[in-house]
Amino acid sequence: MARKKDQDPGGLVVVDKPAGFTSHDVVAKLRGMARTRRVGHAGTLDPMATGVLVVATGQATRLLGHLALTEKEYTATVRLGQSTVTDDAEGEVTAAHGASDVSDEALAAGVGKLTGVIRQVPSKVSAVKVDGKRSYQRVREGEDVELAAREITVSAFEVHEVRRGVRAADGTEVTDADVSVVCSSGTYVRALARDLGEFLGTGGHLTALRRTRVGPYGLMDARSLEELQSEADGAGISLLPLAEAAAAAFPRWDVDEEAARLIGNGVQLRMPERESGHGLGGAAQGPEPVAVFGPGGRLVALVEDRQGRAKSLAVFAQL
């Protein structure tokens, strides 16, 4: 099977993003470490946030848009008693009602209301586009932006520790709650903090956020920028190969040489019937991408089900 000469297969690296770095900052550093311009990331993290940032090089960057749509996990600290313009600790405090006596029952009720399939209004300083311009850009220019609610899924929202009577920098007596969240793509955890505070009548925002998982990739897979720089200074950064990355993230469909050739050239073959598990045909019916592999474990394409036939999303090998 011939591969286009100008295409580097690349691979994935899971970075434990430090606080104070933008996702773009991390990509810029990885470009230098990996000695390639073709680098991207799946799912932006705010500068305040830390944790799992999936970065890809070469052809593996074509997986990123699909990886960004997978389920994510976070740990966070919600501060009840204050609201900020950004819904996190980096923004100016806009209201300080205080919250020294939030009961466990009230907190559980608020968390329950924000669990399941819900409609959420993104934070005003999010990257959501409004008439072609990012919402955060409009806010910085002084506009009062109103964003539409969107449907998201919060599979789990749990409270682990509550600290009452905490004094904020301005003297306001607040309550801090350490939480964990499992949610769908497009969920803003800081908006959950905002809405929890609104439900309780106290106001709320995030003071800490750490992403612990993106799809199948978690903190156990992540390396710090210092560790990656050390690798780059030695034998070079170790990447998860493109085929292994696709196999880990998406249901797998193994095909013979002829089917691989046809799919690689855009022919929409009939997909296998759904089977249990994450293997052959395991999710071949529905919107989730499926990774197609030819003989020898060659990644041929990502496809999706279109009325029972394989519609190519990205082709990685042509015969």
Side-chain angles (χ1 to χ4, degrees):
M1 177 176 58
R3 178 184 291 127
K4 293 181 180 180
K5 292 182 180 180
D6 61 345
Q7 290 189 333
D8 171 16
L12 293 189
V13 57
V14 183
V15 180
D16 187 350
K17 188 190 87 65
F21 280 68
T22 66
S23 298
H24 179 75
D25 291 338
V26 174
V27 167
K29 283 191 169 292
L30 263 293
R31 285 195 178 111
M33 294 179 196
R35 298 178 177 84
T36 178
R37 295 294 302 170
R38 195 173 181 188
V39 180
H41 66 83
T44 300
L45 278 176
D46 294 330
M48 183 189 84
T50 66
V52 173
L53 184 69
V54 180
V55 180
T57 69
Q59 285 197 76
T61 57
R62 301 172 70 191
L63 297 177
L64 292 175
H66 306 291
L67 278 172
L69 299 178
T70 58
E71 187 178 70
K72 300 173 177 66
E73 289 186 5
Y74 298 87
T75 58
T77 299
V78 177
R79 172 155 290 181
L80 300 170
Q82 290 178 322
S83 300
T84 72
V85 68
T86 58
D87 300 328
D88 63 24
E90 295 191 325
E92 179 184 353
V93 175
T94 56
H97 301 292
S100 60
D101 57 355
V102 175
S103 69
D104 290 343
E105 292 76 17
L107 192 54
V111 166
K113 186 176 177 65
L114 295 170
T115 303
V117 179
I118 63 173
R119 294 188 64 78
Q120 181 187 73
V121 177
S123 297
K124 291 184 178 182
V125 291
S126 67
V128 174
K129 285 189 175 181
V130 180
D131 295 330
K133 184 183 289 188
R134 300 291 185 187
S135 178
Y136 65 79
Q137 292 177 311
R138 293 184 176 276
V139 170
R140 288 172 182 169
E141 293 169 2
E143 293 186 41
D144 185 15
V145 177
E146 293 294 332
L147 298 178
R150 55 178 63 182
E151 187 175 282
I152 61 166
T153 300
V154 179
S155 304
F157 189 177
E158 299 180 2
V159 178
H160 300 283
E161 183 178 349
V162 179
R163 296 178 294 282
R164 297 176 175 84
V166 177
R167 289 285 179 181
D170 64 357
T172 303
E173 198 166 316
V174 298
T175 292
D176 286 346
D178 295 335
V179 304
S180 61
V181 176
V182 181
C183 57
S184 63
S185 173
T187 301
Y188 287 87
V189 181
R190 53 187 163 149
L192 290 177
R194 175 202 66 201
D195 293 344
L196 180 59
E198 183 177 318
F199 175 84
L200 295 169
T202 63
H205 68 278
L206 284 186
T207 61
L209 180 66
R210 184 162 176 76
R211 188 156 66 194
T212 57
R213 181 173 66 85
V214 174
Y217 306 110
L219 286 172
M220 290 293 291
D221 307 302
R223 286 169 280 171
S224 68
L225 289 176
E226 290 78 12
E227 289 172 324
L228 290 167
Q229 186 61 65
S230 179
E231 285 187 25
D233 293 340
I237 294 176
S238 174
L239 300 173
L240 181 66
L242 173 61
E244 290 183 30
F250 306 106
R252 180 181 183 123
W253 178 19
D254 288 280
V255 299
D256 61 23
E257 196 75 24
E258 177 63 10
R261 183 185 69 80
L262 293 172
I263 292 172
N265 286 284
V267 178
Q268 296 186 20
L269 298 184
R270 181 165 295 282
M271 298 190 72
E273 294 296 324
R274 182 189 299 273
E275 296 178 9
S276 61
H278 193 63
L280 173 63
Q285 297 180 2
E288 184 179 8
V290 174
V292 181
F293 289 84
R298 305 189 306 261
L299 177 63
V300 177
L302 280 186
V303 301
E304 67 176 357
D305 182 87
R306 290 287 182 88
Q307 297 182 330
R309 293 191 174 275
K311 169 66 176 178
S312 293
L313 299 172
V315 175
F316 298 96
Q318 292 179 307
L319 296 178

